[in-house]
Amino acid sequence: MFKLSKLLKKTRSIFDNLFSIERDYFTIGGFKKDLSFFFKKRNIFHHFIDRIKFQYYPKLLMSSSFPTHLEVEAASKCQMRCPMCYTTYMKDHFKGIMKMDLYKKIIDEAADNNTYSIKLSWRGEPLLNPNLVEMIKYAKKKGIKDVAFLTNAELLNDKKSKELIESGLDWISISADGTDEIYNKIRFPAKFNETIEKIKTFKKIRDEKKQTKPLIRVQSILTALENNSSKFYKSWEGIVDKINVISDHIRDYETDTKKIEYNEMFLCPKPFQRLTIGHDGKVHQCINDYDGKNILGNVLSQSIKEVWDGEQNRKLRNSFKNHTFLKENVSCNYCSYAFAQEKSSLTKIVEGLNLKIKRYKSAHKVVDNGKVLETPESLIPLNKIEEYRKMLKKENSN
């Protein structure tokens, strides 16, 4: 009976890997909204081909001759201290800003090898990089078809909005968890209503220029919506082009891995799709290898192609092919994507709009019964709070 149960579990995992695109991520409005966003991106033929490579090559254990997507970290520091973010706990020596000469080296090779997309964000806040607008312009000039970044939007102002809209940016994603006090506590010192107004202004400037790009996406973690999902949807509908919900990921980075329930048959698509390049040129195993437990190479001294085809990356891919990834890659043990999943409790947003999303069994909730379990201020020692506020004020004035 035990063997049969294990076999059924493995079969279900394989089925999920083969036939599901996203399990922890959902667009409110479903397929219709996703399709609208797809067409608004334009480059429809190229985007369609890219999606095949990006979504389906990994399922067939295939990879392109060069990464179709690059995570290029414009900045690895952030002015916020969100409780669910690794950057809040990250040691200072990991924090920095990518230099323009390194960035151009990356983009030149990517463009020569037809990389479809780059995302200029990872561990930090891209708007802290003073060259961000120039970086976007350079990538677009070189022919990268899809250039985007994620931001908390706290440093966004009218001038920066205008520059970004004129830069050729394809889309921008606003991380905005929950509404009102939930948002204010998680995203301290930002205020929910102020963030809404900033994005309204961003959209207004874009529309006045008669542009459809950059497209605007907003996303929240699941537990921040459980008490007020309807208000979240209604607050953003009509302002942004897409509203997403993502499962809460692991936030206790010292978790005892013996207490985690894993999906041992998980097939991670990332080694077959992309590379994650830190601000200092180090190529990390993936976006969840925050502190560089598995460095695949360094594009300061190597080409992207050398890293992509290198021994470390081949070992990484093989560990998923052989289902030995948990033993061979330390970072995988602290990655929510490898956790077993279950259906979430939140199914209805507003009338006629349902949410189909799974949550990770072993990931702690950030918000429980309407209460934020940890707030940024609680994560900072009492004798450091004033210093932190001064730092925020300084960075916000730049």
Side-chain angles (χ1 to χ4, degrees), residues 282-285 289 291-298 312:
K282 290 178 182 176
V283 182
H284 293 239
Q285 171 183 312
D289 185 24
D291 54 359
K293 288 184 172 66
N294 186 13
I295 297 297
L296 305 180
N298 193 321
Q312 287 297 104

Side-chain angles (χ1 to χ4, degrees), residues 128-142:
L128 286 172
N129 189 319
N131 296 317
L132 182 64
V133 172
E134 187 183 348
M135 294 168 88
I136 296 165
K137 287 180 177 178
Y138 189 80
K140 296 306 295 181
K141 178 184 174 183
K142 285 290 181 174

Side-chain angles (χ1 to χ4, degrees), residues 163-210:
E163 290 174 347
L164 289 170
I165 289 163
E166 293 174 348
S167 69
L169 182 68
D170 290 284
W171 58 275
I172 184 171
S173 181
I174 315 301
S175 299
D177 303 295
T179 63
D180 303 324
E181 283 307 303
I182 295 291
Y183 173 92
N184 295 347
K185 286 179 179 178
I186 293 175
R187 291 282 165 182
F188 172 83
K191 301 291 184 184
F192 181 67
N193 291 335
E194 291 176 5
T195 301
I196 290 275
E197 290 305 313
K198 286 179 182 181
I199 307 309
K200 278 184 179 178
T201 299
F202 189 95
K203 180 180 184 295
K204 182 183 177 184
I205 295 170
R206 183 194 71 179
D207 293 351
E208 285 175 349
K209 291 181 175 292
K210 295 183 168 42

Side-chain angles (χ1 to χ4, degrees), residues 1 28 32 36 52-53 65 72 104-105 234 255 265 267 279 321 329 340 361 383 394:
M1 193 70 182
I28 300 176
K32 187 177 178 181
S36 172
I52 291 174
K53 292 179 181 179
S65 59
V72 182
K104 287 182 176 180
K105 178 181 185 290
K234 290 176 180 177
T255 294
M265 298 300 292
L267 173 60
H279 77 277
K321 291 177 183 179
N329 311 307
K361 287 184 179 181
N383 63 340
K394 180 181 177 182

Side-chain angles (χ1 to χ4, degrees), residues 7 19-21 43 248 258 265 271 275 319 322 327 336 362:
L7 178 63
F19 298 105
S20 64
I21 301 297
N43 297 313
D248 294 47
K258 292 178 182 177
M265 298 300 292
L275 287 179
S319 72
N322 300 326
K327 293 178 182 177
S336 303
S362 304

